[in-house]
Amino acid sequence: MFSSPTAATRPDAALLALRPLINAEATDAAGTVGHFLHATLRPVLKLQNDLLLAVVADFVLDHHITLRPTDQHHQLSELLGRNTKLRYTVVGLITGAFTADEYAFYRLHRPEVNRRLLEMVLRRVLDQAAAVAEVASEL
């Protein structure tokens, strides 16, 4: 039977050491989704940024989408909003970098964390739409 990851089976210290430091004032109390957003999601998204852009660019290529400079934001918003496979891939890319405790918190608050995670990913991808288009053209 499957069990949740534990400190004995997850390299939590190594995962935390990989994350970049982000200066942010977390006004939310510890144990809330807002605190989790600042303490975990933002650093993991920053760590996984290049891979995230490559995954989105790969989906652009797989779906034979030509990112037009005048319509990149709309095209990427549609892709991230409607493509369930891409959404699950992105969630897996991010949650795979969680520690055992973070994953336990994620499981308890999955719908809200996923909603916020996907909003943050969309903003990040749209802010770097030119980079996604460039990576897609290189692949």
Side-chain angles (χ1 to χ4, degrees):
M1 174 152 192
F2 172 75
S3 64
S4 295
T6 64
T9 61
R10 274 311 267 168
D12 289 351
L15 288 169
L16 292 171
L18 289 172
R19 295 183 190 165
L21 295 176
I22 294 179
N23 293 334
E25 293 181 27
T27 57
D28 298 303
T32 64
V33 174
H35 182 265
F36 187 79
L37 174 132
H38 293 292
T40 301
L41 285 181
R42 290 183 65 223
V44 171
L45 282 168
K46 188 169 185 176
L47 171 70
Q48 298 289 67
N49 187 67
D50 292 342
L51 187 55
L52 174 66
L53 298 180
V55 165
V56 173
D58 192 40
F59 268 81
V60 166
L61 289 175
D62 285 351
H63 290 84
H64 308 289
I65 298 169
T66 303
L67 291 176
R68 298 176 303 275
T70 58
D71 206 22
Q72 285 178 350
H73 284 234
H74 175 72
Q75 291 172 299
L76 291 170
S77 293
E78 286 292 312
L79 183 64
L80 283 162
R82 295 180 185 247
N83 191 306
T84 304
K85 184 177 176 183
L86 176 58
R87 292 165 64 91
Y88 287 145
T89 300
V90 166
V91 168
L93 175 73
I94 303 306
T95 60
F98 287 173
T99 64
D101 289 340
E102 290 166 346
Y103 189 74
F105 181 88
Y106 168 76
R107 287 181 65 195
L108 291 174
H109 305 288
R110 187 183 322 247
E112 179 65 13
V113 172
N114 280 349
R115 183 185 68 74
R116 290 187 184 210
L117 185 157
L118 291 167
E119 285 176 1
M120 293 171 74
V121 164
L122 178 60
R123 271 184 278 150
R124 184 170 282 274
V125 168
L126 292 180
D127 288 347
Q128 300 174 80
V132 172
E134 183 178 327
V135 171
S137 69
E138 293 173 359
L139 294 178

